[in-house]
Amino acid sequence: MENKLYNNELAFELATKKIDESRQGETLTVERPSTTASNGKKFYIESYGCQMNFADSEVVASILSQSGFDSTTEFTDADLILLNTCAIRDNAEQRVRHRLQHLQSVKKKKKGALIGVLGCMAERLKEKFLEEEKIVDIVAGPDAYRSLPLLIEEAETGQKAVNVLLSREETYAEINPVRLNSNGVTAFISITRGCDNMCSFCVVPFTRGRERSRDYESIVAEAKELFEKGYREVTLLGQNVDSYRYSKDPKLVGKKLVDAKYDEGVVNFARLLEMVAEVSPLLRVRFSTSHPKDMTDDVLHAMAKHPNICKYIHLPVQSGNSRVLELMNRTYDREWYMQRIEAIRNIVPDAAVSTDIITGFCTETEEEFRDTLSMMEFAKYSMSYMFFYSERPGTVAAKKYKDDIPEEVKKRRLQEVVDLQMKLSLEHNKADVGKTFEVLAEGTSHRSEEHLFGRNSQNKVVVFPKADIKPGMYVQVKVTDCTSATLKGELVH
Ligand code: SF4
């Protein structure tokens, strides 16, 4: 992997936790249910940002195909063009604005074509989006997708249509996502929506609203259905999966729900993990994203108990310094985080850990930055997502703190973190040479038609000879070589 400093968003990605760069702007096709009459119109959707957004596009596709739309991967061919947007950093928003400029020509050519923006940028800007981007006809926030057919009808009359209401209940639980561009092997299942943490640098609580957990029965049913369809891995998705809590008892809400125990009818994340793992030992279970404050030993014991719960945790640290963590309102300090890493090592010793890191947060001193480097050395991350601080309008940090670290210092610190992570990832992979792993084959290697790729339980990409192996099969691979991003091996029969 080339070691040069990319711009903030592309800083460095080693594996495909988040939707990798190559999937940004991805489009999709769906089969309209045969039971639904066609309305003679086609929709086109492009997705940006995180896994939650890609999972949401699958819900949107289901809602539109249920209301008679067919899909197309050619936006020139579409009656409805949708961009599912991200607002996590300024660059993500600039990318959408450039795309909208590009779509200007389409509207001129295709009379009546509508353009809609969905997702976090739509929620952040609301009606302002229409003022700033005149070609936009529809603005719908992450909790408004059920109203899309109505918004489309409204826009077809020539009016601008907006729904950016956030909900405390909406989980789209009974909507069967349409698996798009899927490899037929792995799939996402969203288990919570929104976030109740208020990390001072983050827009998510403002763009995705309050946290709510989805009914565990609908989650287990979706996992079962996917397994019966041949999928062999599901990733449980949430901004903070560890705070998953669901009870069928309507009286158990808020603090009562948080304090209630399993035998009082509350399912927490550890119990949900086990429920999904019990669907079949052949169904791998992953989850993302964990929060150091809420990740309990119960979750770790559930991982240790079930071989099909993958031995991989994404545990964002953001900074290694307690004063900076307090400014970020991460609600844990350096010592707490290190204790969580120790707990993982004690209870799930073969687990790999990855993280998110922000360099150059407001007032971060050089010495405090070095605490982040020493935390990386301590945690020995297998990979990380690293960014320099990008002030986001409306966040607590933007209101309270001056974005006072010069950009060249932010970038220099980011480069130091990138260099260290390259070293750690290579060491982590070198330690796997000679070991044999169970790998779930996912598809043909991007580099060689004669090779397949898959991932081991630690979420590492493994490349091996194709032989007669098909995607969806489990194989034993002995690692013979590696780079900082990939393990290479041979099949063990
Ligand atoms: S946990 Fe913090 S960083 Fe993550 S989505 Fe919630 S507010 Fe944002």
Side-chain angles (χ1 to χ4, degrees):
M1 169 90 59
E2 193 188 337
N3 184 9
K4 75 177 182 329
L5 182 60
Y6 297 98
N7 70 21
N8 194 0
E9 270 64 25
L10 301 176
F12 190 85
E13 292 195 49
L14 275 179
T16 54
K17 177 201 78 129
K18 289 180 186 165
I19 299 294
D20 61 28
E21 187 48 34
S22 62
R23 292 195 64 189
Q24 296 304 310
E26 184 180 83
T27 182
L28 52 90
T29 54
V30 289
E31 286 305 307
R32 175 174 40 76
S34 54
T35 52
T36 306
S38 166
N39 62 9
K41 287 177 261 175
K42 291 183 180 165
F43 77 89
Y44 167 93
I45 185 167
E46 262 178 31
S47 307
Y48 295 87
C50 67
Q51 293 159 330
M52 287 304 284
N53 245 14
F54 278 66
D56 280 358
S57 292
E58 297 182 339
V59 167
V60 168
S62 180
I63 291 168
L64 293 176
S65 57
Q66 292 288 342
S67 53
F69 275 86
D70 286 304
S71 69
T72 173
T73 52
E74 301 302 324
F75 59 76
T76 48
D77 181 26
D79 304 283
L80 172 67
I81 298 169
L82 298 172
L83 303 184
N84 193 355
T85 65
C86 170
I88 203 75
R89 268 169 283 281
D90 183 52
N91 190 294
E93 295 197 351
Q94 292 316 321
R95 177 179 287 181
V96 168
R97 292 187 191 280
H98 294 139
R99 195 73 183 118
L100 287 169
Q101 277 156 24
H102 187 67
L103 293 172
Q104 297 262 12
S105 58
V106 178
K107 265 200 120 174
K108 293 205 183 81
K109 289 202 199 94
K110 181 131 181 155
K111 194 165 171 334
L114 296 174
I115 293 187
V117 286
L118 315 177
C120 294
M121 186 181 174
E123 187 66 44
R124 190 179 80 73
L125 291 172
K126 300 181 171 42
E127 286 78 3
K128 238 172 96 229
F129 216 137
L130 298 172
E131 295 149 26
E132 295 176 4
E133 305 289 344
K134 299 284 183 249
I135 69 164
V136 172
D137 306 293
I138 299 167
V139 177
D143 289 345
Y145 299 150
R146 284 179 200 274
S147 68
L148 274 172
L150 285 177
L151 294 173
I152 294 163
E153 272 174 35
E154 205 180 325
E156 282 170 346
T157 66
Q159 291 183 63
K160 300 290 184 180
V162 179
N163 181 352
V164 287
L165 286 177
L166 286 173
S167 158
R168 281 182 174 274
E169 281 82 39
E170 183 61 87
T171 63
Y172 304 115
E174 84 298 345
I175 293 180
N176 211 349
V178 175
R179 305 294 158 181
L180 311 163
N181 293 336
S182 163
N183 58 10
V185 176
T186 63
F188 297 134
I189 300 181
S190 57
I191 65 170
T192 66
R193 294 184 72 79
C195 188
D196 283 352
N197 297 311
M198 289 299 284
C199 302
S200 60
F201 53 81
C202 185
V203 289
V204 171
F206 307 98
T207 60
R208 285 185 167 272
R210 295 280 66 70
E211 200 167 84
R212 64 225 96 131
S213 295
R214 183 180 159 195
D215 176 349
Y216 52 85
E217 282 180 356
S218 70
I219 295 169
V220 174
E222 191 173 330
K224 268 204 186 104
E225 191 190 322
L226 286 165
F227 183 73
E228 277 142 23
K229 281 187 181 158
Y231 288 81
R232 287 294 171 268
E233 180 183 288
V234 292
T235 299
L236 306 182
L237 283 183
Q239 311 296 155
N240 172 7
V241 292
D242 291 301
S243 55
Y244 176 90
R245 299 185 81 70
Y246 189 88
S247 165
K248 294 202 177 287
D249 176 350
K251 292 194 297 306
L252 272 181
V253 290
K255 188 148 182 359
K256 274 202 193 136
L257 179 62
V258 172
D259 300 341
K261 294 276 170 292
Y262 178 52
D263 49 20
E264 293 164 83
V266 172
V267 170
N268 64 11
F269 184 55
R271 185 67 202 114
L272 176 70
L273 257 185
E274 296 203 76
M275 285 174 157
V276 178
E278 285 151 9
V279 165
S280 165
L282 293 176
L283 182 68
R284 274 185 172 179
V285 185
R286 297 186 185 279
F287 53 89
S288 185
T289 295
S290 301
H291 195 293
K293 158 175 74 59
D294 299 320
M295 187 189 72
T296 62
D297 287 2
D298 289 358
V299 169
L300 302 178
H301 287 299
M303 291 175 75
K305 181 175 162 200
H306 296 267
N308 60 326
I309 299 179
C310 292
K311 306 302 178 270
Y312 166 72
I313 296 177
H314 183 65
L315 195 65
V317 67
Q318 307 297 3
S319 167
N321 175 268
S322 294
R323 187 190 73 85
V324 175
L325 286 169
E326 193 172 348
L327 282 182
M328 288 177 164
N329 192 30
R330 288 290 288 169
T331 64
Y332 57 84
D333 61 14
R334 178 181 173 85
E335 285 64 39
W336 173 276
Y337 187 90
M338 293 172 91
Q339 192 275 338
R340 291 289 82 206
I341 295 287
E342 294 285 3
I344 294 171
R345 287 186 181 142
N346 296 337
I347 303 171
V348 202
D350 56 344
V353 180
S354 64
T355 197
D356 292 350
I357 290 171
I358 294 175
T359 64
F361 188 69
C362 315
T363 72
E364 179 190 63
T365 65
E366 197 58 34
E367 197 192 338
E368 291 166 341
F369 165 64
R370 313 229 74 78
D371 283 345
T372 297
L373 296 176
S374 63
M375 175 64 85
M376 293 174 73
E377 296 274 12
F378 169 80
K380 298 200 179 338
Y381 296 119
S382 61
M383 64 95 162
S384 301
Y385 295 88
M386 299 153 283
F387 311 93
F388 61 65
Y389 173 58
S390 165
E391 184 180 82
R392 304 304 297 136
T395 58
V396 174
K399 291 179 188 140
K400 288 173 69 178
Y401 311 129
K402 192 164 175 303
D403 182 8
D404 59 355
I405 307 295
E407 182 141 327
E408 69 275 7
V409 174
K410 287 181 179 180
K411 283 187 171 172
R412 191 265 302 158
R413 288 178 183 173
L414 177 61
Q415 188 62 54
E416 282 194 54
V417 163
V418 169
D419 295 346
L420 175 55
Q421 185 55 57
M422 288 285 275
K423 183 170 101 21
L424 292 172
S425 301
L426 189 57
E427 282 166 10
H428 213 286
N429 284 353
K430 276 196 174 147
D432 289 336
V433 175
K435 291 182 186 165
T436 296
F437 291 98
E438 180 182 73
V439 173
L440 174 59
E442 288 181 39
T444 302
S445 160
H446 308 308
R447 299 219 171 144
S448 149
E449 285 291 313
E450 303 316 307
H451 288 77
L452 291 182
F453 80 92
R455 282 168 297 143
N456 66 5
S457 183
Q458 286 73 20
N459 201 34
K460 292 187 178 179
V461 174
V462 183
V463 174
F464 55 92
K466 186 179 271 186
D468 56 355
I469 308 299
K470 299 273 177 303
M473 291 169 69
Y474 287 103
V475 289
Q476 297 296 321
V477 178
K478 181 174 182 187
V479 178
T480 54
D481 192 4
C482 71
T483 68
S484 55
T486 309
L487 299 176
K488 295 178 184 138
E490 58 200 30
L491 289 168
V492 177
H493 297 290

